[in-house]
Amino acid sequence: MINLAQKDISHTLGKFIVTAMGVGMLLGIVLIMIGVYRGMMVDAEKLLKDISVDIWIVQEDTLGPFAESSRIHEDFKDTLKVIEGIDKSEALTFQNLQLYGLDKPVRVTAVGFNPFGSINPINSANLIAGRTLQKSHYEAVISTESGFKLQDKIKIGRNYFTVVGLTKGTVSSGGEPLIYISLKDAQELQFSFSNAIIRNDRERGINASGDIHTVNTVVATVKEGYDVAQIAKKLGMWKHVGVYTNEEQTTILTKNLVERSSKQIGLFTAILVVVSTIIIGLIIYTMTLEKMKEISIMKLIGIPDSIIVKMIVQETLILGFFAFIFGNIFSHLIYEKFPKRVVLEAPDALGLFVVIILASVLASFVGVGKVIHADPTVAIGG
Amino acid sequence: MKKVQSIRIENLTKSFGSGDSFVSVIDGASFTVNKGELIALVAPSGAGKTTLLMMIGCVVDPTSGQIWLGEEKVYDNHWLTNNSRQIRREKIGFIFQAHYLIPFLNVIENVTLVPQTNKIPTKEANAHAMELLKYFDIADKAYNKPSQLSGGQNQRVAIARALANNPEIILADEPTAALDTERSISVVKMLKKIAAEQNVAIIMVTHDERMLEYCDRVMKIEAKKIVFE
Ligand SMILES: Nc1ncnc2c1ncn2[C@@H]1O[C@H](COP(=O)(O)OP(=O)(O)OP(=O)(O)O)[C@@H](O)[C@H]1O
Ligand SMILES: [Mg+2]
């Protein structure tokens, strides 16, 4: 049997391809939307993965240090070291900064760590130029996405920091580029007051010079052979701290995000899919209208509805299929141009494929309805 | 040659609308057309020629009466078949004033569409189609689209299409109206030959007096009834 859909499409191939590309762009945007969501999930875990520790100690009753602010005393890191099963422990700080010196101010998250400590949050796999911190003051390693280059001098607070290393793809859980500075510098920025304030406070009789030996979290790794959950549980019995395993910390960061973003992006995606379905339906409808005369003739000479309906449904499916292919090409061409991370995953594309095929079948109904009701005598004008 | 009934109509009526818009087109038409006959149907515009053809072709519903196609009674105040399209594609060939070929199919696909729908294997259908196209002297255009053919060539393809399912009946509604005299005469001669050679009953609507001499009988619609000259 002649494949009518294929014949009709190849008869107006150029038009068909342009149409499929148009719908494909729409589907490409759907893929990008899903990719943005995946990117947010990746970003949320990126910092945790780079730091790669087993246990997070934070201020009690907080979801620190990322989801809520947390302050604990730096010396917990030393206390931790004597606990059985703990391998290494270090104090870390996190704070938001706005950096100047480029065309536009850049928002970054600063990670403060001890350059001479046992845990280095800079994953050497991300370090693409320069080196890690080697001095306890005024050096910085920064994400290349921030726009800063090696040897740039960045003014933070009252001091100039020299960029000694560049990392790629390092972001905070919110997707902002990172700047790594020494713990001491970070503490001074976060917890110390200027001399003027201290003088002023002193005159007002307040002693609020701040405890500079404060950090946001203390992290630790566990020796091989020890159960992380058990140690975490033991530590949790201490007073005045909260303890999370790395897994729990990951959940805190992603759960919140999943709840907030999946609804947002899910809704966007659903709307776009509905719009795509309507557009495919309209295209098929007009394609069917253009063929009404041929359809009437076919009915007149005795071609059964099933064959004509098959043509319409196949055309819709072919349109959906090519739109999907173009959508994938389109999304892969542009996804890197987005400022935030976009992660395109095959299972998502596959899911969209299934949805689009279902949508195409749905969309073909309008054309099919038109076919069923076509009057064969219309062709010959009565 | 023995006369074998191919189309038989008894007391057929057809009206459209009701109340103010009521029009009676055919009222009590009865006639028989035999196999191998080429019948000319002549009547003024609006007399109901197309309507009559479409009723015989099971496309338009009559109001009342009886229709036999070959031995089979297909209409007795209502359709006796629930698949009129099967009757059409198996028994009837249609030819119109315009060729009405499917523009996205090439010539041979147009000709084989109905046979293939009738489950004739592609190879067989193509071979038969090629024979017909050779007969009509357009075999060299078999793989061209209708848009690449002249009006006369397309009309010959349309006739080949009407013959492709080896119909018992051909219903031709002004098949020559769009052709010049020479071409018209050759088409009518062709139909005459087909009727005789393949024992097909053909009813051909025409306004052209010159075509009548090639037909076996001339049928007219007068006072909503069928009369033969
Ligand atoms: N669907 C319809 N509804 C109402 N009236 C109709 C319909 N189809 C045909 N008619 C009427 O029936 C009459 C016969 O129409 P028909 O098309 O059969 O004429 P015809 O003899 O083929 O004319 P022509 O030579 O112009 O083709 C006309 O008066 C027409 O207006
Ligand atoms: Mg007519």
Side-chain angles (χ1 to χ4, degrees):
Chain A
M1 186 64 206
I2 302 161
N3 186 322
L4 294 174
Q6 181 214 322
K7 297 289 173 188
D8 184 33
I9 287 171
S10 53
H11 187 64
T12 49
L13 192 62
K15 193 173 139 194
F16 184 84
I17 288 176
V18 171
T19 310
M21 280 169 85
V23 180
M25 280 177 155
L26 210 58
L27 297 187
I29 292 168
V30 174
L31 286 170
I32 297 273
M33 292 295 301
I34 301 171
V36 166
Y37 174 66
R38 295 282 174 227
M40 286 165 80
M41 299 302 290
V42 170
D43 279 353
E45 296 180 20
K46 174 74 179 155
L47 182 56
L48 296 187
K49 283 194 173 150
D50 283 347
I51 294 174
S52 172
V53 292
D54 299 315
I55 286 174
W56 296 75
I57 312 278
V58 299
Q59 184 178 336
E60 73 173 331
D61 297 331
T62 71
L63 296 173
F66 306 108
E68 290 177 1
S69 70
S70 146
R71 286 183 177 203
I72 62 170
H73 208 269
E74 186 183 348
D75 69 1
F76 265 115
K77 78 165 194 250
D78 303 317
T79 325
L80 264 186
K81 276 187 185 136
V82 303
I83 305 284
E84 197 196 337
I86 295 289
D87 186 16
K88 303 171 208 162
S89 70
E90 284 300 335
L92 296 176
T93 62
F94 302 94
Q95 66 209 95
N96 297 321
L97 294 176
Q98 185 151 309
L99 305 182
Y100 299 89
L102 297 177
D103 297 346
K104 283 181 202 154
V106 188
R107 292 213 50 88
V108 296
T109 297
V111 181
F113 72 101
N114 178 2
F116 313 108
S118 52
I119 296 174
N120 188 335
I122 303 177
N123 181 342
S124 55
N126 297 327
L127 195 65
I128 54 162
R131 56 169 173 82
T132 182
L133 305 184
Q134 283 172 359
K135 291 183 191 155
S136 48
H137 282 297
Y138 313 135
E139 281 189 348
V141 170
I142 192 163
S143 300
T144 176
E145 287 82 0
S146 67
F148 286 98
K149 306 259 175 305
L150 274 185
Q151 301 307 321
D152 277 356
K153 300 253 188 286
I154 308 172
K155 185 162 191 267
I156 307 173
R158 280 165 287 180
N159 303 300
Y160 281 91
F161 287 69
T162 307
V163 176
V164 297
L166 289 176
T167 53
K168 190 170 166 51
T170 47
V171 286
S172 70
S173 60
E176 281 175 354
L178 294 184
I179 182 167
Y180 300 91
I181 53 180
S182 77
L183 188 68
K184 280 184 181 153
D185 290 339
Q187 282 171 322
E188 194 164 319
L189 279 169
Q190 197 177 162
F191 304 116
S192 73
F193 296 100
S194 71
N195 291 337
I197 291 177
I198 294 169
R199 264 199 306 278
N200 193 333
D201 283 349
R202 228 173 252 156
E203 269 158 36
R204 294 166 64 210
I206 305 169
N207 183 10
S209 54
D211 181 2
I212 201 164
H213 296 290
T214 303
V215 293
N216 302 113
T217 182
V218 168
V219 293
T221 59
V222 167
K223 278 184 192 145
E224 229 171 285
Y226 284 87
D227 183 24
V228 174
Q230 236 162 30
I231 292 180
K233 204 174 155 200
K234 203 159 77 184
L235 293 178
M237 290 187 292
W238 282 5
K239 282 178 185 142
H240 314 307
V241 287
V243 181
Y244 298 112
T245 64
N246 206 44
E247 251 170 73
E248 287 166 338
Q249 189 63 261
T250 307
T251 312
I252 290 171
L253 283 185
T254 52
K255 195 175 148 234
N256 183 19
L257 255 177
V258 171
E259 279 170 5
R260 213 161 19 97
S261 313
S262 62
K263 257 188 212 150
Q264 177 114 335
I265 306 253
L267 203 58
F268 263 122
T269 309
I271 291 169
L272 282 172
V273 167
V274 169
V275 169
S276 310
T277 310
I278 292 172
I279 288 178
I280 294 177
L282 282 175
I283 290 167
I284 290 302
Y285 185 70
T286 51
M287 274 172 71
T288 309
L289 279 190
E290 282 169 7
K291 281 195 289 286
M292 265 345 263
K293 189 166 174 169
E294 288 75 39
I295 289 169
S296 297
I297 291 294
M298 285 195 263
K299 288 180 118 176
L300 188 64
I301 62 175
I303 306 298
D305 280 344
S306 59
I307 288 181
I308 307 171
V309 165
K310 198 169 128 195
M311 166 176 83
I312 303 293
V313 174
Q314 276 183 353
E315 280 180 4
T316 322
L317 288 178
I318 294 170
L319 179 68
F321 178 77
F322 278 98
F324 172 76
I325 299 289
F326 282 126
N328 271 281
I329 295 172
F330 178 67
S331 60
H332 278 90
L333 285 179
I334 64 160
Y335 82 101
E336 279 182 330
K337 304 208 162 37
F338 285 79
K340 277 205 176 179
R341 194 190 300 268
V342 177
V343 179
L344 300 175
E345 284 182 350
D348 291 335
L350 206 71
L352 183 67
F353 180 71
V354 173
V355 170
I356 281 308
I357 292 304
L358 292 178
S360 299
V361 172
L362 203 70
S364 71
F365 287 175
V366 288
V368 169
K370 207 68 197 152
V371 169
I372 304 283
H373 295 114
D375 179 357
T377 57
V378 163
I380 49 161
Chain B
M1 211 172 92
K2 195 174 155 271
K3 285 184 177 175
V4 183
Q5 154 197 323
S6 180
I7 303 166
R8 186 174 153 211
I9 304 293
E10 284 300 334
N11 215 0
L12 195 68
T13 62
K14 175 65 184 174
S15 55
F16 290 102
S18 60
D20 279 352
S21 65
F22 179 85
V23 270
S24 168
V25 181
I26 306 282
D27 192 6
S30 302
F31 65 92
T32 305
V33 176
N34 297 316
K35 290 192 173 176
E37 271 192 306
L38 172 59
I39 306 288
L41 175 54
V42 186
S45 178
K49 304 179 295 292
T50 302
T51 305
L52 179 64
L53 243 47
M54 288 300 122
M55 288 193 288
I56 298 169
C58 311
V59 180
V60 167
D61 303 334
T63 306
S64 66
Q66 283 127 41
I67 302 173
W68 286 259
L69 297 181
E71 292 298 301
E72 190 185 353
K73 192 175 193 180
V74 295
Y75 186 85
D76 190 356
N77 291 323
H78 63 272
W79 292 110
L80 302 173
T81 167
N82 53 16
N83 197 344
S84 62
R85 267 185 247 179
Q86 189 180 352
I87 293 179
R88 295 211 283 276
R89 67 175 179 266
E90 286 177 356
K91 292 193 170 184
I92 303 173
F94 288 93
I95 307 169
F96 310 98
Q97 179 175 342
H99 59 78
Y100 293 138
L101 298 171
I102 311 296
F104 54 82
L105 298 180
N106 66 27
V107 164
I108 196 155
E109 287 160 351
N110 263 291
V111 175
T112 57
L113 183 59
V114 169
Q116 290 205 42
T117 308
N118 288 341
K119 304 270 189 299
I120 306 291
T122 309
K123 228 174 160 182
E124 205 178 301
N126 280 347
H128 185 214
M130 272 323 265
E131 255 173 55
L132 288 168
L133 293 176
K134 275 191 195 122
Y135 182 85
F136 292 114
D137 203 20
I138 34 171
D140 57 324
K141 303 284 184 193
Y143 298 98
N144 288 40
K145 294 265 172 72
S147 59
Q148 297 164 315
L149 272 65
S150 75
Q153 287 171 329
N154 275 328
Q155 192 61 323
R156 279 180 279 161
V157 176
I159 298 172
R161 175 176 69 179
L163 290 170
N165 56 342
N166 296 316
E168 296 169 22
I169 297 161
I170 290 177
L171 302 172
D173 197 350
E174 301 189 53
T176 62
L179 304 177
D180 58 33
T181 311
E182 204 181 319
R183 282 255 174 252
S184 299
I185 290 173
S186 88
V187 164
V188 176
K189 278 181 170 171
M190 227 176 257
L191 291 176
K192 169 84 183 153
K193 200 171 154 199
I194 291 159
E197 283 178 1
Q198 313 205 9
N199 213 20
V200 179
I202 303 179
I203 300 181
M204 177 183 75
V205 173
T206 182
H207 284 293
D208 192 338
E209 298 278 328
R210 286 165 300 184
M211 304 303 142
L212 303 184
E213 61 176 287
Y214 303 96
C215 300
D216 296 310
R217 287 193 286 163
V218 177
M219 191 160 87
K220 289 191 169 173
I221 302 176
E222 273 175 14
K224 300 174 190 173
K225 290 187 168 50
I226 300 296
V227 294
F228 284 93
E229 262 191 353

